[in-house]
Amino acid sequence: MKYIIIVYIAFGFVLSSVLGIEYPCSGQDMFPEYTGSPFIFRQKSFGSSMTHYYSVTGLVINTGIWTVVLLLIRRSILNLIERSGNNKGFKSIHRGMVGFLILFTTLNIGIGYIMLGNGFQEGLNYWYFNLDQEAKEWGVDCEGRIGVFLYPK
């Protein structure tokens, strides 16, 4: 059960872009903004500022990466708790943080669901986004910027 919770929390980290890369593009034509964590998984819609499209592959790979990171952090925290003689205060703080992260993830999934664009096909929600190819076709230049809590504006 604890591993399912870790994957769930990792998914919330991806959706929130706790640590991610924003891809604003400049050129003569308008081009959507992309977000990665580290791989591209979200595209801002042209039709509405409140609609985003998601890449299934990007979500899965990013969730896997964050799962590994969270497993390493968890192992470190459990080692610290063991070294402290299984201090009940540290255990309580750990449980409280896990509870907070579960709520954080649930909130991010809810927001993501509300803002999810309709349809599943290329140009909408799809298996993958090929930013390099699309930028080349549209003649725009995209550069990634690392940031914290990057939710497209």
Side-chain angles (χ1 to χ4, degrees):
M1 184 68 170
K2 59 186 161 192
Y3 296 110
I4 293 172
I5 291 172
I6 290 173
V7 172
Y8 183 74
I9 292 171
F11 186 62
F13 272 61
V14 171
L15 288 177
S16 70
S17 297
V18 167
L19 181 63
I21 304 170
E22 186 177 46
Y23 294 93
C25 301
S26 58
Q28 293 182 351
D29 289 322
M30 286 184 58
F31 198 73
E33 255 183 53
Y34 288 87
T35 308
S37 182
F39 297 101
I40 296 172
F41 72 94
R42 181 174 45 222
Q43 169 190 332
K44 183 178 173 188
S45 170
F46 279 133
S48 169
S49 63
M50 298 296 286
T51 302
H52 299 107
Y53 298 115
Y54 293 92
S55 159
V56 174
T57 306
L59 287 172
V60 170
I61 292 172
N62 289 328
T63 300
I65 290 170
W66 276 104
T67 298
V68 171
V69 169
L70 290 175
L71 284 170
L72 292 172
I73 292 171
R74 178 185 176 272
R75 177 74 340 235
S76 299
I77 290 171
L78 292 179
N79 283 340
L80 287 172
I81 290 172
E82 283 179 22
R83 284 191 210 159
S84 71
N86 288 323
N87 185 317
K88 289 183 181 184
F90 289 147
K91 284 184 177 181
S92 296
I93 291 170
H94 178 252
R95 285 191 193 112
M97 286 301 296
V98 169
F100 171 77
L101 290 173
I102 289 171
L103 290 173
F104 175 77
T105 296
T106 304
L107 175 67
N108 280 301
I109 290 173
I111 291 170
Y113 180 74
I114 290 169
M115 299 180 97
L116 178 66
N118 293 329
F120 188 83
Q121 63 185 5
E122 199 166 345
L124 302 176
N125 296 303
Y126 199 54
W127 291 110
Y128 61 90
F129 296 139
N130 192 341
L131 175 61
D132 293 332
Q133 179 184 351
E134 286 193 40
K136 186 177 175 183
E137 288 174 6
W138 284 86
V140 295
D141 189 31
C142 301
E143 228 175 276
R145 293 188 302 220
I146 295 175
V148 180
F149 291 107
L150 297 172
Y151 212 79
K153 297 150 192 83

